[in-house]
Amino acid sequence: MAPKDATPPRDDFPVRVHDLLRERAVWVLPLILASVVVSAMTALYLASAVDPLGHVRGLPVEVVNNDRGATLGAEHLDIGSRIEAGLQASPEVSRRLRLEPVTLPEAERAMSRGRAYATVVIPPGFTASLLAQAGLPAAGASGGAATRTGDRSVQLLTNPRAGTLGVSLASGVLQPALAAASRTISAQLTAAADATAGASTGAGTATTGGAATATAGAGAGGAATQAFLANPVTVTTSQFHPPPANSALGLSAFYLALLTLMCGFLVGTLLHSTVDAALGYGTSEVGPRWTQLQPKAISRWRTLLIKWVMAAALTAVVTGLMIAIGAGAVGMDAPHPLLLWVFSWLCAASVAAGTIVLFAALGTPGQLVALLLFVYAGLASAGGTVPIEALPGFFRLLSEAEPLRQILAGDRAILYFDAQADAGLTRGAVSAAIGLLCWLALGALIVRWYDRRALHRMNPELLTYVNRAVQDYRAQSKPAEDQGPRAP
């Protein structure tokens, strides 16, 4: 039992939990930063995707009208042209879609480069086939072509490789418009059938009543003809070159683009902390071990150069691992793996350089700015899920500069469009290169200006004092036997 007058044990850590929790300053900064960042994340991410149909403008759709028309009596009819004109004149269609009349080969080239989400194809014998089905005598087309079953329907070719939601939006606008066109054509065909039946009935009455009844029956066409006249235009939907089997239903390019962006962001973030720890300007904590190295006398500019060089090397490694795992272990369809790796490396290096510059210019808040700028603003404006044409105006403008959209354009071109330069690969590569050069130039200007203004990370006098203190501490920490014999 310890004596009553014993000295109480020394407390090396006297600060208590309630002492800090009572400090207002401890609460204010985390509360403000968390509120601002979460609010910005929510506004960016949800505002871009909450109402795509309400914001869709200029969604590219091709129209191929091959209808040759037919002659009914003295009038030449071209129902295909009427459908095309009706689509162009409809406010619900023209306000949302950008319809471009083209030939079928031109439409196929556009969809093969991801420049159109769908194509409306009106077959050559469309008018003649409808007239024949309605029981109306028509001329101007060969009988075989005029009565083919395929000529009786409008074909809607969709292009899911350009974006599944874009295809869904285009189909959602076109289907009701074509149904409305069918109702209009139904009224016209019914009127023409009634007029033809009336003329035949009058002629039959002048000859024999039995003949009149037969003609009237032929004009009306019976139950099958009446059913056809109620909905004469049918729409058949098919995919134009569906996405490859192992492509996440056409979303693998978006997932890969997001992974590429994260490779650059994570490399930049990790290099900032690890290099600073190695230079003595940051701490390193692994499990219970806390380390603070002696600061080194190095300028901001040289520190930035070290991080950039390491970022170029590390992004090459991590993007290579990404492609190897995705195309190899996971089995993602990747027809041009080497080109995909080089493009991903360029894009990741650009994002890493930008992340490092934001850290160098802003310090610790640079990580939050990089997170909002590269990740959440990119997700909101890249067009990976919601197409660019269905984004609000602000996000369309933002997408012109956001790296994720450019990465996605290149990935789609490589994965889905045979790496064609004009399918988005040139845009993606040039944008990534320009972004990299801009970040390098901006970082050099800011950091060298900091150095010229003597805005050092640690004041030279303070650095000298710290180094002297470290040397004194090391000298005092040596074992007594290492200090040499003491003087008598």
Side-chain angles (χ1 to χ4, degrees):
M1 185 172 180
K4 292 183 179 180
D5 58 348
T7 304
R10 174 183 174 185
D11 188 355
D12 292 329
F13 304 100
V15 178
R16 295 290 183 261
V17 173
H18 59 82
D19 294 334
L20 279 180
L21 292 180
R22 289 174 181 174
E23 295 289 336
R24 181 179 300 176
V26 175
W27 290 90
V28 171
L29 186 59
L31 179 62
I32 292 176
L33 288 179
S35 300
V36 170
V37 172
V38 170
S39 298
M41 286 164 45
T42 306
L44 285 171
Y45 202 46
L46 293 184
S48 66
V50 71
D51 186 19
L53 185 59
H55 293 108
V56 63
R57 299 290 186 277
L59 204 69
V61 172
E62 312 288 73
V63 179
V64 178
N65 179 20
N66 290 328
D67 189 12
R68 294 190 296 265
T71 301
L72 178 63
E75 182 183 3
H76 182 77
L77 298 180
D78 189 343
I79 298 178
S81 295
R82 292 184 181 181
I83 292 178
E84 181 182 352
L87 292 176
Q88 296 280 7
S90 170
E92 291 298 316
V93 176
S94 59
R95 183 167 58 91
R96 294 188 171 102
L97 306 183
R98 190 183 76 242
L99 300 177
E100 184 176 359
V102 294
T103 64
L104 185 57
E106 291 173 339
E108 291 175 344
R109 282 196 297 271
M111 289 198 292
S112 295
R113 289 162 174 77
R115 297 178 180 174
Y117 290 99
T119 297
V120 178
V121 181
I122 303 173
F126 184 64
T127 299
S129 179
L130 294 184
L131 294 179
Q133 185 70 14
L136 298 172
S142 61
T147 58
R148 285 185 305 179
T149 304
D151 281 347
R152 299 174 187 171
S153 63
V154 174
Q155 187 177 14
L156 180 59
L157 293 176
T158 62
N159 191 20
R161 293 181 299 166
T164 53
L165 184 57
V167 168
S168 178
L169 290 171
S171 300
V173 174
L174 289 170
Q175 293 282 8
L178 292 172
S182 180
R183 291 191 294 270
T184 302
I185 294 168
S186 171
Q188 296 170 349
L189 290 178
T190 301
D194 290 343
T196 301
S200 300
T201 301
T205 302
T207 54
T208 62
T213 303
T215 306
T225 301
Q226 292 299 328
F228 164 77
L229 289 175
N231 184 27
V233 178
T234 59
V235 180
T236 59
T237 302
S238 60
Q239 291 186 352
F240 175 82
H241 294 179
N246 297 331
S247 63
L249 300 178
L251 289 174
S252 59
F254 173 65
Y255 294 143
L256 190 67
L258 183 58
L259 286 172
T260 302
L261 180 79
M262 293 306 300
C263 283
F265 175 75
L266 290 175
V267 164
T269 302
L270 292 173
L271 282 177
H272 171 75
S273 59
T274 55
V275 172
D276 280 359
L279 294 175
Y281 292 90
T283 62
S284 175
E285 188 172 4
V286 180
R289 183 177 178 81
W290 182 90
T291 305
Q292 170 75 61
L293 298 180
Q294 181 178 348
K296 294 179 172 57
I298 186 171
S299 67
R300 289 179 179 269
W301 169 238
R302 291 172 182 169
T303 302
L304 185 63
L305 286 178
I306 292 172
K307 294 177 180 179
W308 276 346
V309 172
M310 294 183 67
L314 290 182
T315 50
V317 175
V318 296
T319 53
L321 289 172
M322 177 186 71
I323 301 301
I325 293 172
V330 177
M332 180 189 72
D333 185 84
H336 305 279
L338 181 60
L339 178 61
L340 189 61
W341 170 65
V342 172
F343 176 72
S344 300
W345 179 14
L346 172 63
C347 295
S350 178
V351 173
T355 303
I356 291 170
V357 169
L358 291 174
F359 270 114
L362 304 176
T364 301
Q367 182 175 10
L368 298 178
V369 175
L371 183 68
L372 291 174
L373 177 63
F374 291 131
V375 180
Y376 285 97
L379 286 171
S381 61
T385 51
V386 179
I388 300 297
E389 296 83 3
L391 294 174
F394 168 75
F395 293 99
R396 293 195 195 193
L397 181 63
L398 185 64
S399 70
E400 297 298 326
E402 271 297 326
L404 186 56
R405 181 192 177 184
Q406 324 310 329
I407 302 171
L408 177 59
D411 283 349
R412 275 181 174 161
I414 296 171
L415 293 175
Y416 306 153
F417 302 115
D418 198 28
Q420 297 178 90
D422 56 351
L425 181 56
T426 297
R427 176 194 177 101
V430 171
S431 298
I434 291 175
L436 177 60
L437 293 176
C438 288
W439 283 119
L440 294 179
L442 181 63
L445 287 174
I446 293 176
V447 170
R448 292 178 74 86
W449 182 79
Y450 283 171
D451 285 340
R452 286 196 300 270
R453 295 294 301 270
L455 300 173
H456 307 296
R457 302 186 74 181
M458 184 175 290
N459 186 280
E461 290 77 11
L462 177 59
L463 183 63
T464 302
Y465 174 80
V466 170
N467 289 336
R468 188 183 306 115
V470 170
Q471 292 172 2
D472 293 343
Y473 175 78
R474 287 175 176 173
Q476 295 173 5
S477 300
K478 288 182 178 181
E481 59 269 23
D482 295 337
Q483 298 299 320
R486 295 184 178 183

